[in-house]
Every structure is written in C-alpha cells, then in structure tokens.
Amino acid sequence: MSTTDPVRIISIQFDQFKAFARYSLSLDRVNILVGPNNSGKSTIIGALRALASGLRIARSQSPQRIDLNDRHRPGYRIPEDSLPISLENVHTNYDSTDSKVTFSLSNRSKLHLIFPREGGCFLIPEAHSGAITST
C-alpha cells in the first residue's frame, strides 16, 4: 500500500450477528456479493450500512467513555433511530453473548460495531498506532 492509497476495509468478521454465529470475509478493491436466497448478502450490506451510520456520528462528535463487559474504552453510542437495521433480530441463537462486527482496515486499525444483549449499538475504534482521542 502506498502512502497515497485511501484507507479501506480489507475484511469483516461477524460474531453472533444475525444468522452468522462466526463468519469472516476478505474484501478487495472491488467486491460483488452473489449467492442464493438466505445466504447472508443482506446481512453483510446491513452491517456496512450500520457502520456508515456509526461513522457519521463519529465524525460529528468526540468519543465518549463506553463501559462494556467491565472494560472502559473510547467510542460512540449509536442511537437506535439512526441505525438502518432493526436491532430486534441482531443476536444469534438467543444466547447471552453480545453480537459484534469487526471491520479490519488497510492501515491495520479496526472498527468494532458492538450490539450488547441488553440493547443498543456502539462503535468502538481500535487504532493501530495509539489511542483515539478525537473525531
């Protein structure tokens, strides 16, 4: 990757998200989703749309302290009414695990969308080089 290449998503990892108990896919510069009905195409698009909503919020405000699973991390609370997906069916198998989608970026950073069992959605950035302190 040259220094002029834009940062892009290179892979997506789904954990207990909708019909995906655990699933990952690698992305290239151009991607085409094909498959039979009920194979997860809309789930993948929904996760990307939820990320886009989270990024809009992240660009407009500073991160706040998010408390999840006894850990404190900087992140962003995404209001349910700004999400383009319903949170009703986000969790898989009705177990007690939070649902999570992790987007790995070409600069080795990650963006985590976390959907706690008790409801809501959070965008948690994980920078490869240092802490997140601003938008």
Side-chain angles (χ1 to χ4, degrees):
M1 181 174 91
S2 77
T3 57
T4 59
D5 287 342
V7 174
R8 64 183 183 85
I9 300 169
I10 59 170
S11 69
I12 307 172
Q13 173 74 43
F14 297 89
D15 292 298
Q16 305 300 326
F17 183 77
K18 294 197 174 247
F20 295 139
R22 188 157 179 84
Y23 181 74
S24 65
L25 68 140
S26 297
L27 301 174
D28 211 331
R29 294 189 189 287
V30 176
N31 301 279
I32 299 171
L33 286 174
V34 294
N37 291 344
N38 294 318
S39 62
K41 300 179 302 289
S42 295
T43 298
I44 293 166
I45 297 296
L48 289 165
R49 292 178 67 213
L51 176 64
S53 292
L55 290 174
R56 271 193 298 281
I57 290 168
R59 288 185 182 115
S60 67
Q61 61 188 356
S62 295
Q64 55 185 283
R65 178 180 152 154
I66 304 294
D67 299 323
L68 289 170
N69 302 324
D70 298 326
R71 291 186 61 200
H72 315 292
R73 301 187 275 180
Y76 305 89
R77 185 177 309 276
I78 303 170
E80 189 171 343
D81 61 354
S82 71
L83 284 169
I85 61 172
S86 169
L87 295 182
E88 182 179 20
N89 299 319
V90 164
H91 301 284
T92 302
N93 297 329
Y94 305 101
D95 65 8
S96 61
T97 309
D98 293 345
S99 295
K100 181 173 156 183
V101 182
T102 299
F103 301 87
S104 297
L105 307 177
S106 57
N107 67 359
R108 298 189 295 176
S109 296
K110 294 181 179 184
L111 297 169
H112 305 280
L113 279 178
I114 300 174
F115 301 87
R117 288 298 297 174
E118 55 274 1
C121 179
F122 300 96
L123 174 62
I124 308 293
E126 181 184 322
H128 171 69
S129 57
I132 306 292
T133 58
S134 69
T135 56

